[in-house]
Structure formats: C-alpha cells, structure tokens
Amino acid sequence: MSGLFRSTFMRKRVLITGSNGNLGSKLAKCLIATGQFDLSLVDIQPESIIKGGSSGPSVEYIQADLRTQQTCWTRRLRRTDVVIHFAVANSQPDASWTEASDSMDITFNVLLQASKARVGRVIIASSCHVAGGYKEQGGIKLAKDGSNVLSGNTEPLVGMQYACGDTFIDSTAYASAHFAAERLATSLAVSYPDTSFVVVRIGCCQPGTNNPRTITSQRPTTPSGQSPLTAPGSGSPLDDPVVIDEWMKSMWLSNDDFIGLFRKIIDTPLEKSKTRCLVMNGVSANRGSRFATDTSSSPIGFCPQSDCKDNSS
C-alpha cells in the first residue's frame, strides 16, 4: 500500500527477497503458516525449498535476478506494504570483495525500487559483523564513546578476523556490504519520507535447529613444533578458539527470537517516532554479550527471551 503502513489488524502484503536462504525460508514458512499475509517470495533460485509447505492464492513465487529491474518483481512493489530484504550474493562472512560488490548491487537496487514504489516499510537484514572489529586479539576494544555495549548507534568498526578450523576468515568485505546498505537506507529515509526503514544487525542464526552448541571455530590442536595459525601480514597468532567461540555465541539469535523480532517489526509503525531509519541488533538475550538487545521502551519494543547459556547443554 503505497505511502501507508497498515495496522496490526489488517492483512499485510509482504515481499521477501532471498526467500530460499536460511533466514528468508525460516521467516517465509512462519508467515505462510499464520495465513495472515499475502506473500511474494523472491529468489534467484527456483521455489523448491518452500513450495512444499504452502498452498493457496496468498503465496506467489518469483524467480528473479535482483540486480535487474525485471517487472516480474518490481511491479509487485506497487502493491506491497512491507519488503523484507535478505538477498545477498554470499551470506557467509568469508565473502570475497567481488561477492560483496554483487551484494551491494542487489541491495541498492531493491532499496531504491522499494522507495520509488512508496513501500511503507523496508526491513533490511544487516550483520553484527558491521561491529566485528570491536573484538581484538588479546582483548576487547571499547566503543569510541567509552561504552562497553554495542548498539545500533555505536560507530561501526567493520569486519572481523579469526580462525575457523585451519582457515583464516576475514569478514571485512562481507561486513562492508552490509554497512553500505545501512548508509543507503539512512539516506533514502530522508529522500523518500513515505518509506520507513528498519535495519537489523543479525548475529549468529544457524540453519535448522540453530543450537548454540554447534557454534564453534573447530580449530585443531597445533602439532608440536608447528607455528599456530596467524593472520596474513601479522606476526601474532589468531585469537584463542575459546575467545572466538564466546564472541560468536554472544551474537546468537535463536529461531524463536528471530521470528518474534521480525513479526514485531512487520507490525510496528514508526510514524509516532522521529526515526524513519532505525538500526538495531538482532541477537538473543545472551548473558555477558556486548551486543545490546531491543527493549520494551524502544521504537520496536521487542524483548528477546532466549539465552545461549541456557541452550548450550
């Protein structure tokens, strides 16, 4: 519905990009099960992942390359209330700069087309890796304001370097693509006042059951006489795997909290707030985590219920 945001009690028309991916398929299956939404599910791949769990005229599948302006998806925007954007070229932190560039092309096109169509709400899946640089070797870097808590307002420090097994991971390219999306949303919120944006810096939400026990760097023991894995260009070993695992688990987002948060964002207008572009973390209530969670007093007002420490046994 161009320029308007329907109330919680009205049936919303929702378009999900990347609907065959981990997060997109989880949310799509949940929304389909409610029977309360008219859904357009867009992915560059065929509809095989989700089709088996749906029926009826309220769900349509669109195969499209979101780097283009194919009418098969852009024309749907004119009758869409909410766009939820998950689509990227590579959803893994080890994305190359070429893949990150493709992700930017996809996101820039989706956000601009949605704004031009006056979609009421655009929800963007960003990543906690935008603040990944606050984890340092040998210690944890404080935010520039001196705070030990990382919120959506914390100045970004993109990318994280760490060992995963015997592989060196540098998420700078991956995180940079997400940060670019955040900045574009902030700009579009000013230029297109009919559209509000909510950016969610999603933490670690694994495929399937998503148990935090399976979050591990799995770094093998260094054989006697061999040097430990080091970051390219550095003379110091990468972080201890225990430190890496704890940081990753502090970003954990349970399936229930993921679904609950996105349902709340879909239903909550920002019209009563001066904020037309809200940036927030998407993490569970993990004890000891530096990533701030949403609260009942915030514009969205979602309170996560899960804690990785209660689900690690």
Side-chain angles (χ1 to χ4, degrees):
M1 177 176 287
S2 297
L4 297 176
F5 190 77
R6 293 184 173 190
S7 73
T8 304
F9 305 103
M10 299 180 69
R11 187 180 184 89
K12 288 191 174 71
R13 295 170 292 201
V14 177
L15 184 145
I16 300 177
T17 72
S19 59
N20 274 354
N22 170 34
L23 299 177
S25 62
K26 282 183 180 180
L27 183 61
K29 289 175 182 178
C30 173
L31 298 185
I32 289 170
T34 69
Q36 299 173 3
F37 300 90
D38 295 321
L39 298 174
S40 296
L41 305 181
V42 185
D43 200 281
I44 198 168
Q45 300 297 331
E47 62 210 50
S48 58
I49 290 180
I50 299 173
K51 188 173 183 179
S54 66
S55 61
S58 63
V59 183
E60 63 174 346
Y61 301 90
I62 304 169
Q63 185 175 4
D65 183 346
L66 293 171
R67 294 171 297 183
T68 73
Q69 296 183 25
Q70 294 171 291
T71 57
C72 63
W73 72 275
T74 56
R75 67 185 179 187
R76 300 302 197 284
L77 296 173
R78 293 192 293 269
R79 55 183 180 84
T80 294
D81 301 300
V82 180
V83 167
I84 306 175
H85 179 56
F86 293 112
V88 290
N90 183 351
S91 62
Q92 298 304 309
D94 63 352
S96 67
W97 279 106
T98 297
E99 292 167 328
S101 297
D102 287 341
S103 293
M104 291 185 215
D105 290 342
I106 292 168
T107 298
F108 294 175
N109 194 34
V110 170
L111 268 57
L112 184 58
Q113 297 304 320
S115 300
K116 287 182 176 179
R118 300 175 65 205
V119 174
R121 165 66 46 79
V122 176
I123 306 171
I124 305 161
S126 183
S127 170
C128 282
H129 280 260
V130 170
Y134 284 101
K135 189 192 78 61
E136 283 193 318
Q137 297 180 27
I140 303 299
K141 179 181 285 188
L142 291 176
K144 289 188 176 181
D145 63 0
S147 171
N148 195 45
V149 177
L150 304 176
S151 71
N153 295 322
T154 303
E155 183 171 346
L157 200 57
V158 298
M160 189 172 102
Q161 297 180 349
Y162 58 101
C164 184
D166 59 357
T167 302
F168 173 76
I169 303 293
D170 184 346
S171 69
T172 302
Y174 167 83
S176 295
H178 285 298
F179 181 52
E182 294 183 9
R183 299 314 303 160
L184 178 59
T186 301
S187 177
L188 291 174
V190 176
S191 302
Y192 295 89
D194 289 324
T195 302
S196 63
F197 297 83
V198 178
V199 177
V200 184
R201 290 180 179 170
I202 295 175
C204 185
C205 188
Q206 306 164 100
T209 56
N210 185 27
N211 192 303
R213 287 182 300 172
T214 59
I215 301 174
T216 175
S217 61
Q218 298 179 334
R219 182 178 174 185
T221 302
T222 304
S224 177
Q226 291 188 13
S227 299
L229 186 65
T230 59
S234 76
S236 60
L238 292 174
D239 289 337
D240 185 288
V242 174
V243 175
I244 299 169
D245 292 352
E246 285 301 311
W247 179 266
M248 293 296 190
K249 288 177 181 178
S250 77
M251 298 192 298
W252 182 62
L253 175 63
S254 72
N255 288 344
D256 287 345
D257 284 340
F258 165 65
I259 296 298
L261 174 59
F262 273 73
R263 283 296 308 268
K264 196 75 162 62
I265 297 172
I266 290 171
D267 290 334
T268 304
L270 295 180
E271 278 70 15
K272 294 181 180 180
S273 169
K274 294 181 180 179
T275 303
R276 301 298 296 161
C277 181
L278 177 67
V279 181
M280 61 186 297
N281 292 326
V283 297
S284 288
N286 305 310
R287 282 169 287 173
S289 175
R290 290 190 61 199
F291 291 92
T293 59
D294 201 33
T295 64
S296 59
S297 60
S298 70
I300 299 302
F302 175 75
C303 297
Q305 300 299 308
S306 303
D307 182 344
C308 68
K309 296 185 184 300
D310 293 333
N311 291 270
S312 297
S313 58

